[in-house]
């Protein structure tokens, strides 16, 4: 994977800022975990990276491609990324390995 950069990303729900100027740089091959209490914005950051949420401000860049900004938004299906939720209720008939590997299986 290419370098992923979050540059001062901001996301509001209504008038409430739930992610406020978060910056992060993830180098290829790095393993990163987002930790914090419930409601601090971890899932919202991941949803912004995946393209499920549009930014109010800031940039998300993967390699040399801008995925999100205030005026530009690449659709989730064009980002070639996946997200595994803490609760595997989407596919409860699958074990952990099958849930995690589902997107890779789709890609062949």
């Amino acid at each position: 994977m290419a370098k992923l950069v979050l540059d001062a990303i901001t996301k509001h729900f209504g008038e409430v800022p739930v992610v406020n100027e978060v910056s992060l740089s993830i180098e290829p091959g790095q393993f990163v975990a987002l930790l914090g209490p419930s409601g601090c914005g971890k899932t919202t950051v991941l949803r912004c990276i995946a393209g499920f949420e549009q930014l109010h401000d800031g940039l998300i860049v993967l390699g040399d491609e801008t995925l999100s900004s205030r005026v530009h938004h690449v659709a989730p299906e064009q980002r070639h990324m996946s997200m595994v939720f803490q609760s595997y209720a989407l596919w409860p008939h699958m074990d952990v390995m099958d849930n995690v590997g589902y997107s890779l299986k789709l890609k062949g």
Side-chain angles (χ1 to χ4, degrees):
M1 185 173 102
K3 181 177 182 177
L4 178 66
V5 176
L6 281 60
D7 184 15
I9 66 169
T10 299
K11 173 66 182 171
H12 296 193
F13 290 126
E15 295 297 315
V16 178
V18 293
V19 173
N20 192 21
E21 297 186 8
V22 170
S23 294
L24 174 67
S25 181
I26 302 173
E27 297 293 333
Q30 273 189 312
F31 181 86
V32 176
L34 300 178
L35 302 173
S38 293
C40 74
K42 303 178 300 287
T43 299
T44 302
V45 167
L46 293 174
R47 289 180 59 82
C48 289
I49 293 169
F52 301 138
E53 301 289 345
Q54 290 188 288
L55 299 178
H56 285 93
D57 209 354
L59 291 172
I60 297 176
V61 179
L62 181 63
D64 59 359
E65 181 182 7
T66 298
L67 299 179
S68 292
S69 72
R70 177 184 282 227
V71 296
H72 178 74
H73 183 81
V74 174
E77 63 273 12
Q78 295 174 339
R79 293 181 185 217
H80 306 292
M81 294 187 182
S82 298
M83 187 171 163
V84 178
F85 296 92
Q86 184 174 353
S87 171
Y88 58 90
L90 291 176
W91 300 294
H93 63 288
M94 294 182 187
D95 63 18
V96 172
M97 180 68 86
D98 290 337
N99 271 275
V100 171
Y102 182 75
S103 62
L104 295 173
K105 182 178 175 183
L106 289 179
K107 294 295 282 182

